[in-house]
């Protein structure tokens, strides 16, 4: 199975003050990228769910492999 590297950008909006936004970026590498992205959302979004809501997600596959895995 080929190895892929993908860069993800996640945008959150503050539930109490909708004028405030926060971004989160991650670079994931491995053979099962969809599972890694699912884990990222599960852990990160749940930890901030009380105060922040997910409003946007974007990703791009990179033309190289990184030397570490998340």
């Amino acid at each position: 199975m080929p190895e892929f590297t993908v860069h993800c950008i996640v945008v959150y909006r503050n539930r109490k003050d909708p004028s405030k936004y926060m971004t989160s970026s991650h670079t994931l590498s491995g053979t099962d990228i969809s599972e890694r992205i699912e884990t990222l959302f599960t852990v990160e979004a749940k930890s901030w769910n009380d105060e922040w809501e997910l409003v946007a997600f974007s990703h791009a596959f990179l033309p190289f492999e990184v030397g570490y895995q998340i």
Side-chain angles (χ1 to χ4, degrees), residues 18-49:
S19 66
K20 292 183 180 178
Y21 288 85
M22 170 178 67
T23 61
S24 174
S25 65
H26 305 275
T27 301
L28 308 171
S29 183
T31 56
D32 192 355
I33 292 297
S34 62
E35 187 174 307
R36 291 176 183 274
I37 291 173
E38 182 180 354
T39 301
L40 166 72
F41 278 131
T42 302
V43 172
E44 188 174 86
K46 281 186 178 181
S47 69
W48 291 335
N49 191 42

